[in-house]
Amino acid sequence: NTIGGKRIKESRLGTVPSARNARRIGGLTAQQLLLRCPQGTLAAADVCVETQARAPANYTSAVITCGGTDGPPRPGRRLPTHGELRRAFDLDQMGPIAPGGELTSEVYPSGSSPGSVDVLYMTDELGSVGLVPNGPGGERAFRCVADPLN
């Protein structure tokens, strides 16, 4: 247990056995830990937003459609908040907003139909908004968002 010689050449030293996995976390490399978005989505506001709008639907149908996208073993998708959708359009990689606007996940009690909700939708890329009923006449295009994957 002594070291001989006046100098130790580091190039002759091997890897310390307990440090062989130091460049990994739980056996995964740094590259495997990077967050990635599913194909067809763009990273914005800590979520992955679909780059193409889907065909118009009312809020309830859009929620069901998003929830069924991807599916087990991964969680389904959801509608974006106004802030998430707004941020995605700030990135200039989404193209124009769908004609007639796009639904968000934000709902409010309806002022005209007790027991129903009105849905906030974005009318332009700048974040302007409108409200539509969750039913006939409230159909708007929509995009789903997913959590990043690693």
Side-chain angles (χ1 to χ4, degrees), residues 42-58:
L42 173 70
D46 295 330
V47 295
C48 302
V49 182
E50 292 177 340
T51 55
Q52 297 294 316
R54 294 174 181 247
N58 67 30

Side-chain angles (χ1 to χ4, degrees), residues 14-143:
T15 304
V16 176
S18 62
R20 284 195 177 109
N21 209 15
R23 296 183 194 266
R24 296 176 171 264
I25 297 174
L28 300 173
T29 65
Q31 184 64 29
Q32 291 170 312
L33 293 171
L34 291 176
L35 295 179
R36 295 182 294 273
C37 284
Q39 187 174 2
T41 65
L42 173 70
D46 295 330
V47 295
C48 302
V49 182
E50 292 177 340
T51 55
Q52 297 294 316
R54 294 174 181 247
N58 67 30
Y59 172 79
T60 300
S61 295
V63 167
I64 291 168
T65 299
C66 288
T69 303
D70 293 334
R74 295 188 305 211
R77 298 182 184 187
R78 62 175 175 78
L79 287 172
T81 65
H82 174 268
E84 291 166 343
L85 192 56
R86 172 77 172 83
R87 178 66 183 124
F89 280 108
D90 281 348
L91 297 177
D92 246 2
Q93 298 174 25
M94 300 271 288
I97 197 162
E102 297 183 21
L103 294 175
T104 73
S105 62
E106 296 165 45
V107 296
Y108 302 92
S110 174
S112 60
S113 182
S116 296
V117 294
D118 288 333
V119 184
L120 186 79
Y121 72 101
M122 226 167 80
T123 61
D124 60 35
E125 294 89 354
L126 301 175
S128 300
V129 296
L131 287 174
V132 292
N134 178 28
E139 298 86 359
R140 294 291 184 276
F142 64 97
R143 297 169 198 253

